[in-house]
Amino acid sequence: MDHRQVTDSQALQSMDSQIPESPRDEVLQEDMELLIKEETALFERFRNKTVFVTGATGLLGSQLIKALLCSNRLLGIGCKVIALVRSRKKADKVFGRLLERADMQLVTGDITSPVSYDGAVDYIVHGASATSSRYFVSNPVETILTAIDGTAQMLEFAKQKQAEGFLYLSSLEVYGTPSADAGKIKESYSGYIDPLQVRSSYSEGKRMVECLCASYASEYGVPVKIARLSQTFGAGVEYEDGRVFAEFARCALEKKNIVLHTKGQTVRSYCYTKDAVAAMLLILAKGESAAAYNVTNMDTRISIADMAQLVCDTFPQAGIQVTFDMPDDVAAFGYNPEMVIALDSGRLMELGWKPTTDLREMFIRLAKSMSGSRAV
């Protein structure tokens, strides 16, 4: 280690480290501190490193950043985090006083434009993406171009910086609609996606980007790793979030019946946010280049209808029940076709990862976190 690195590390460790990572959400703060205790050795892999994060104000991007900053405060890791954001206003809302800390720096810009950052970068986590199912349908062109153009910019940035590691946050949607006899889906599986359906803009975009990542690894030696995330939720989800898990928790908090617009027969598995952050860091640090890893808690496999009932049963004080209201045009909601998709996270578990939070506890912590943010 040269003198500059020692000086930088000391500067980061002498900062105002008393600023907590999530003071307005005690559940998320508890999660971050527990993660540091559970994964101390993993965070040591990022000692005195610089990590560049896109999609920094999103659910997983923001929690990854907060976890790294928490490791600085609790362990003195000396990691510097650079967060690429589109909106300074949203960054202020998500990070608050964390932006005063010396170990965090904002870069404002559009992911589809060249990145302007002159400093050294050791690791890159690329999570910027369209996330709304309705948006996939209403803006399919933008969904595709954001995925491809944005990732191309970040891969070029990684090549330029000679990054030690690059993590792309992909999705279980790359598997499309699995066959009925697919069983647990390993990373080598490829299901069916209809390219002429505009809802496929997200799935096909993710597939093409994964190929682009593998191509940069092959042609330019960029050490790209891919995390194929199942639907992920927990503490830190915004109260107004439109995804199904947030709608269910919001119904429980507001004591309103859960209304399903399909039969709710889609079956999938889920992952808690804290567990997903641990998986992301593990893949970034120890994953194989040009390889993909499923990120899911295999024990959470459940149908949408059964999950809705689980929420009703978990919060009996809400006095709610599941009802059905089938619209004439279900496609307008942007829902996936009904399917059974169960990811196999065995490859990730071979790296040393294991989930810590079951589905019922995920909803309890989600609701408690959302309730706190509602009161702010």
Side-chain angles (χ1 to χ4, degrees), residues 131-327:
T131 58
S132 165
S133 292
R134 288 181 181 266
Y135 185 84
F136 305 157
V137 174
S138 62
N139 296 80
V141 174
E142 291 78 8
T143 298
I144 293 169
L145 294 181
T146 297
I148 296 175
D149 294 346
T151 306
Q153 293 290 352
M154 291 312 304
L155 288 166
E156 280 294 320
F157 183 65
K159 184 175 71 168
Q160 171 195 339
K161 296 296 184 181
Q162 298 183 319
E164 295 179 37
F166 182 109
L167 178 66
Y168 174 62
L169 302 189
S170 189
S171 166
L172 87 166
E173 291 210 27
V174 298
Y175 297 116
T177 303
S179 61
D181 59 352
K184 287 187 178 178
I185 294 173
K186 296 181 180 292
E187 289 80 358
S188 58
Y189 182 83
S190 59
Y192 172 73
I193 297 176
D194 182 355
L196 297 183
Q197 294 295 321
V198 295
R199 176 58 177 77
S200 300
S201 56
Y202 181 75
S203 306
E204 291 281 33
K206 289 288 187 183
R207 277 191 175 185
M208 188 66 248
V209 166
E210 285 198 12
C211 185
L212 186 63
C213 287
S215 299
Y216 264 79
S218 174
E219 188 170 345
Y220 301 117
V222 178
V224 181
K225 298 91 181 277
I226 297 167
R228 289 179 182 161
L229 294 149
S230 61
Q231 199 162 64
T232 301
F233 67 90
V237 171
E238 294 183 357
Y239 191 85
E240 300 80 10
D241 193 296
R243 285 170 286 188
V244 65
F245 50 78
E247 290 183 6
F248 288 0
R250 198 161 47 245
C251 285
L253 292 171
E254 297 178 2
K255 299 183 178 180
K256 298 179 179 178
N257 288 340
I258 295 175
V259 181
L260 297 183
H261 300 295
T262 70
K263 294 180 181 179
Q265 294 178 339
T266 287
V267 175
R268 61 167 68 99
S269 54
Y270 298 83
C271 191
Y272 189 59
T273 41
K274 177 175 74 70
D275 293 339
V277 170
M280 290 157 55
L281 289 171
L282 183 63
I283 296 168
L284 181 61
K286 297 176 63 177
E288 179 184 345
S289 182
Y293 296 84
N294 290 333
V295 180
T296 196
N297 181 341
M298 292 188 286
D299 293 334
T300 63
R301 176 176 170 174
I302 195 170
S303 72
I304 297 294
D306 286 345
M307 188 167 73
Q309 187 60 52
L310 180 145
V311 171
C312 295
D313 296 341
T314 300
F315 302 97
Q317 68 277 13
I320 62 175
Q321 61 185 1
V322 181
T323 64
F324 295 85
D325 178 18
M326 307 296 188

Side-chain angles (χ1 to χ4, degrees), residues 313-344:
D313 296 341
T314 300
F315 302 97
Q317 68 277 13
I320 62 175
Q321 61 185 1
V322 181
T323 64
F324 295 85
D325 178 18
M326 307 296 188
D328 294 331
D329 184 13
V330 175
F333 285 81
Y335 298 145
N336 267 332
E338 291 197 334
M339 68 183 79
V340 175
I341 179 166
L343 302 188
D344 186 331

